[in-house]
Amino acid sequence: VTFSGKCTKIGDYAFAGCSALNTLPNLNEIKTVGDYAFAGCTALTEVEIPQGMSVGEGAFTECVALQKVVIGNDVTLGAGAFMARINNVLSRAPLSDTTLYEVRYVTPTPVSALTSLTIGENVKIGDMAFCGNNKLTTVNLGAGAEIGAQAFYLCTELTTIDLSEAQSIGSA
């Protein structure tokens, strides 16, 4: 994929499901990435969001090979922008000697490769933006971040994030 200097917006669902897309070109001229624009691009390994960009809801959701994300200053991330794929695993148990089964529990199982994340200054992080990135261990967060509700929900391996300079943090 190559963008010219004339292209400033990538529309909703523009490249959704392009499973062979493994790299993105320089996005410096792009100002807006639409909702679900790159959702399900399962070979994509790295994304760099330039300063001032607006990223739509679910724009990079279910990009299961994504390992590195760098977000510039003054960026706005929509809800679930980088949400991982969540597989639900059902456990069934027989009720009796008949063929009837009872669902005992549902276990959400995230599928993600993202391990580190760098976020610039004054970034607005939408609700559930990085939900389910269960291999994410480190977030480098710039000053002035506004963090939406459940932004890092199910990031079970997250051990390092300094929130001391965040402007606001959403509820869980």
Side-chain angles (χ1 to χ4, degrees), residues 108-166:
T109 307
V111 178
S112 168
L114 185 62
T115 58
S116 69
L117 173 62
T118 301
I119 300 174
E121 295 182 352
N122 304 314
V123 173
K124 294 178 183 174
I125 302 170
D127 295 347
M128 300 184 83
F130 297 97
C131 173
N133 283 282
N134 62 326
K135 293 183 179 150
L136 182 62
T137 59
T138 304
V139 176
N140 296 309
L141 185 65
E146 296 177 28
I147 302 171
Q150 297 177 321
F152 297 100
Y153 178 62
L154 290 176
C155 292
T156 55
E157 297 298 316
L158 184 59
T159 57
T160 306
I161 183 171
D162 182 354
L163 300 171
S164 64
E165 295 194 46

Side-chain angles (χ1 to χ4, degrees), residues 38-119:
F38 295 97
C41 291
T42 55
L44 194 59
T45 59
E46 187 173 319
V47 173
E48 186 168 338
I49 305 296
Q51 180 172 342
M53 182 182 278
S54 176
V55 178
E57 179 178 320
F60 294 93
T61 193
E62 296 193 14
C63 292
V64 296
L66 199 57
Q67 297 173 12
K68 181 180 178 185
V69 175
V70 177
I71 299 170
N73 297 336
D74 304 308
V75 169
T76 300
L77 298 178
F82 288 90
M83 182 184 285
R85 176 183 294 159
I86 308 290
N87 292 335
N88 287 324
V89 179
L90 302 179
S91 174
R92 299 183 303 161
L95 288 174
S96 63
D97 292 335
T98 66
T99 57
L100 297 175
Y101 286 85
E102 170 188 23
V103 175
R104 292 278 173 99
Y105 57 86
V106 177
T107 305
T109 307
V111 178
S112 168
L114 185 62
T115 58
S116 69
L117 173 62
T118 301
I119 300 174

